[in-house]
Amino acid sequence: MNFNGFDFGGLFDIELAIKSLPFVLEGLPMTLIVSIAGMGIGLVLGLFLALARSSKRGLLHLPARIYISFMRGTPMLVFLFILYFGLPVVGIQFTATAAAIIGFGLNSAAYIAEVDRASLNSIDTGQWESAKALNMPYWTTLRKIILPQATRIAIPPLTNVFMDVVKATSLAAVITVPELFQKTQIVAGREFDAMTMYVLVALIYWPICILIGVLQERLEKRYSRFV
């Protein structure tokens, strides 16, 4: 397509995209590993941060609040650089993949903590009081009564966090993690066609996020019985 002398067809080379697709997709497993492992760490740590943030005890509340504020207020890229390039100065060294997983896990935990805190606080306090009247232990009440209901509320925002983690794994390319975007950059530099490769990788991330959205719908149906 040509418009006033500008060739729009030159923006995307289909032959190059098809030829490069197998090589780019070699980075997909690493993208999924970093995303899922990072989100897993975030879910566990985020729940405990949410409980600490909601606690009336200053020794729990204040550190959790500072942690959440720091992680939400600093760029993820800077944090990755600290983990991979900064910590070796003090004798702590991670592989690129480990640094990425830890980085995304610790960072996503801050956002997940706020989602969890809001979801837990939305549950009627009368349910806590009823469980207490039945001498039900705190953790049993949380696990069997509160969390199932809070999970239903938290699923949509947690899904958004997961999508953000998947897309943000592209930042791991700067610390040499061989994920999707890093593979894309290699081809873009070799073939001198950055536009084609960046459009291609965007078209790969898109269906991944669509699948996550489908998973969200299924989880919402599963937890709808706790309404």
Side-chain angles (χ1 to χ4, degrees):
M1 181 183 295
N2 189 289
F3 183 72
N4 289 341
F6 185 81
D7 183 14
F8 284 95
L11 291 176
F12 189 76
D13 186 337
I14 296 178
E15 290 185 5
L16 175 61
I18 295 174
K19 182 179 71 174
S20 304
L21 184 60
F23 178 77
V24 173
L25 287 177
E26 288 178 7
L28 180 58
M30 184 58 69
T31 291
L32 296 177
I33 288 171
V34 172
S35 301
I36 294 172
M39 188 66 180
I41 293 172
L43 286 170
V44 175
L45 181 57
L47 176 59
F48 286 103
L49 283 170
L51 295 174
R53 176 82 164 77
S54 300
S55 175
K56 295 180 180 179
R57 298 179 182 179
L59 289 177
L60 294 175
H61 174 84
L62 186 59
R65 187 167 187 171
I66 292 173
Y67 179 92
I68 293 170
S69 176
F70 176 77
M71 286 298 178
R72 294 174 70 192
T74 54
M76 184 64 221
L77 184 60
V78 172
F79 193 51
L80 287 176
F81 271 62
I82 291 173
L83 287 172
Y84 189 64
F85 297 113
L87 289 183
V89 175
V90 294
I92 302 174
Q93 190 163 3
F94 297 110
T95 63
T97 301
I101 291 173
I102 294 170
F104 286 111
L106 296 179
N107 185 265
S108 65
Y111 296 91
I112 292 171
E114 290 298 274
V115 171
D116 287 349
R117 184 173 69 89
S119 300
L120 291 169
N121 289 342
S122 68
I123 305 302
D124 189 355
T125 56
Q127 300 198 41
W128 284 102
E129 295 169 357
S130 298
K132 187 176 181 180
L134 294 172
N135 292 322
M136 188 176 290
Y138 173 84
W139 291 105
T140 303
T141 303
L142 183 67
R143 181 170 58 89
K144 292 187 175 182
I145 299 176
I146 306 301
L147 276 182
Q149 298 177 77
T151 298
R152 178 183 60 82
I153 299 170
I155 286 174
L158 286 179
T159 302
N160 288 336
V161 173
F162 187 34
M163 286 185 181
D164 287 341
V165 170
V166 170
K167 292 179 289 185
T169 54
S170 59
L171 295 174
V174 299
I175 59 172
T176 71
V177 176
E179 45 71 61
L180 278 172
F181 193 67
Q182 199 251 13
K183 295 288 186 180
T184 300
Q185 287 182 308
I186 291 174
V187 180
R190 184 179 64 209
E191 300 292 339
F192 302 102
D193 191 346
M195 178 61 77
T196 295
M197 297 313 301
Y198 293 154
V199 171
L200 174 63
V201 77
L203 293 175
I204 295 173
Y205 280 115
W206 185 19
I208 294 174
C209 290
I210 290 175
L211 289 176
I212 295 173
V214 172
L215 176 62
Q216 172 190 335
E217 292 176 358
R218 292 190 176 184
L219 288 173
E220 286 179 340
K221 290 180 180 179
R222 177 180 178 183
Y223 282 90
S224 62
R225 67 178 184 271
F226 295 109
V227 175

